[in-house]
Amino acid sequence: MKPNFLICALLALISFASCKKNMSLPEQPNSKILEFKVPVSDGMISGAIDETDKTITVYIPFFYQLDVIDPVIRLSEGAKLSEEILPVDVLNDKATYTVTGADKSTTTYKLIIKMQQMGPLVVSEVSTETTTASWGIGFYMLNIRGNFNTNDANKVRVFLVDANEKEAEMTHVTGYGNATVVPQMGTEGKIYTLGYIGVPQTLDPGRYKVRVKVQSLTTDLKYPVTLNYVLPQIDYESITAKQGDTFVIHTTGPVFHNFKTFSVPVNGVKVEFPIVSYTRTHATIRVPDTMTPGTYYPYLLFDGFPQITANWPLTIIAK
């Protein structure tokens, strides 16, 4: 009986093996990104490719001071990218890459850029609990101090935020030139001063929150600032105009508001020129037909402020 049992068991095993199908793994699509690298000053940073989540994560140390990455991408053999490989802003969180393989399969990867910065971002208050700083609309000699850890003024962005959380970025190019960052050692480490930033000329008077961003870091100051109209500033321009013609004056600083009179002194008497029109940033003035030719230094009067004597010449010539 025992030999017959063994023979039956052996036959059953052979029969099962003959009925068993050959199992093979499914073919993998060849629409893959195999390498994603970012050139930096001392070599390459490799991105981490996650084939499960279809993501590419790149960690960028802040000391490289990158504004964009210019990736080098290697694909599966015969595969193509749908997108052109272009530089990507380090704050861009929308970038994707779609790969089409030689087998016509497609795969889309999402790019995730992680900025490795020293935080938290700490910025000195410009107001206090009892005293609110007042800034002129269009004024451009303002400073902000903090632990920015960069000498690049373009990486430090300052915003004025209204009650509806609408951001207005303060200007970096003003009548005194480009904004600058100056570092200096303090009792608790290096402090950076961002100087020559300006209040946008388009904002209305009122209270605004101050928000500072240094690439991926953001902080809001605890105390707000108040924006007001201040004594306007007229850009230096040497102007020549004919009798009866119009000319334009400009401001790239504190804005025009309640512009009352434009005049020039003639033999101790003020001769008014009609103000044809004006906006916050420029005004159109007409020369009286009977104005005596000559060179003058005008007077300008804005309601609520003392008279301004221009430091630029206005030359009137005959028709």
Side-chain angles (χ1 to χ4, degrees):
M1 292 294 291
K2 188 176 289 186
N4 289 338
F5 173 77
L6 292 174
I7 291 170
C8 290
L10 182 59
L11 290 173
L13 182 61
I14 294 171
S15 176
F16 176 78
S18 65
C19 293
K20 188 177 180 181
K21 293 183 179 179
N22 291 327
M23 301 296 291
S24 59
L25 293 174
E27 289 189 13
Q28 293 295 307
N30 70 346
S31 52
K32 290 185 176 182
I33 292 179
L34 302 180
E35 286 185 349
F36 188 99
K37 294 186 175 182
V38 176
V40 289
S41 58
D42 56 356
M44 291 279 192
I45 295 174
S46 294
I49 302 171
D50 187 326
E51 288 295 346
T52 301
D53 294 336
K54 304 304 179 190
T55 59
I56 305 165
T57 304
V58 183
Y59 293 88
I60 305 295
F62 185 67
F63 56 77
Y64 284 119
Q65 298 284 293
L66 296 182
D67 295 313
V68 297
I69 61 171
D70 197 0
V72 177
I73 301 174
R74 185 167 71 89
L75 308 177
S76 301
E77 185 175 354
K80 294 182 180 180
L81 268 179
S82 299
E83 300 83 4
E84 183 180 359
I85 301 177
L86 297 172
V88 182
D89 190 294
V90 294
L91 300 181
N92 186 341
D93 60 359
K94 306 295 183 185
T96 59
Y97 297 95
T98 299
V99 184
T100 301
D103 58 359
K104 306 304 181 185
S105 64
T106 61
T107 304
T108 298
Y109 296 85
K110 177 177 175 58
L111 177 62
I112 301 171
I113 301 175
K114 299 283 191 180
M115 296 297 298
Q116 296 179 303
Q117 293 180 254
M118 296 174 60
L121 176 60
V122 179
V123 179
S124 300
E125 295 286 340
V126 294
S127 298
T128 67
E129 186 175 2
T130 57
T131 304
T132 301
S134 179
W135 290 352
I137 298 171
F139 189 73
Y140 53 62
M141 288 189 65
L142 298 170
N143 300 325
I144 293 287
R145 302 175 75 240
N147 62 339
F148 306 139
N149 293 311
T150 179
N151 294 335
D152 186 349
N154 292 321
K155 288 183 172 60
V156 185
R157 303 173 67 194
V158 183
F159 298 83
L160 294 170
V161 186
D162 67 15
N164 297 317
E165 280 295 305
K166 183 179 179 181
E167 295 180 340
E169 186 167 4
M170 297 184 69
T171 57
H172 273 212
V173 180
T174 68
Y176 281 88
N178 295 332
T180 60
V181 172
V182 178
Q184 63 185 76
M185 289 303 300
T187 56
E188 299 182 2
K190 190 175 286 188
I191 298 296
Y192 299 78
T193 300
L194 174 67
Y196 299 116
I197 56 174
V199 176
Q201 294 178 307
T202 56
L203 294 182
D204 293 325
R207 284 199 165 198
Y208 291 79
K209 180 166 54 181
V210 180
R211 178 170 295 158
V212 182
K213 300 180 182 180
V214 182
Q215 293 197 309
S216 64
L217 299 179
T218 301
T219 190
D220 289 348
L221 299 193
K222 181 178 180 180
Y223 302 111
V225 298
T226 299
L227 300 190
N228 295 299
Y229 293 113
V230 295
L231 181 66
Q233 176 179 301
I234 298 87
D235 294 349
Y236 184 95
E237 298 176 85
S238 182
I239 298 173
T240 299
K242 292 181 180 180
Q243 294 168 321
D245 281 356
T246 60
F247 60 90
V248 179
I249 59 174
H250 304 85
T251 176
T252 53
V255 298
F256 297 158
H257 181 68
N258 287 339
F259 194 176
K260 291 300 184 181
T261 62
F262 182 101
S263 61
V264 298
V266 180
N267 298 324
V269 177
K270 290 182 181 178
V271 177
E272 288 197 13
F273 288 27
I275 301 171
V276 178
S277 64
Y278 76 91
T279 67
R280 288 186 173 203
T281 58
H282 63 273
T284 301
I285 312 296
R286 184 178 301 281
V287 180
D289 291 331
T290 58
M291 184 64 200
T292 303
T295 297
Y296 305 91
Y297 288 85
Y299 299 144
L300 300 92
L301 184 63
F302 295 86
D303 191 31
F305 297 102
Q307 176 180 277
I308 299 171
T309 300
N311 62 349
W312 42 266
L314 170 62
T315 301
I316 306 301
I317 59 177
K319 291 183 180 180

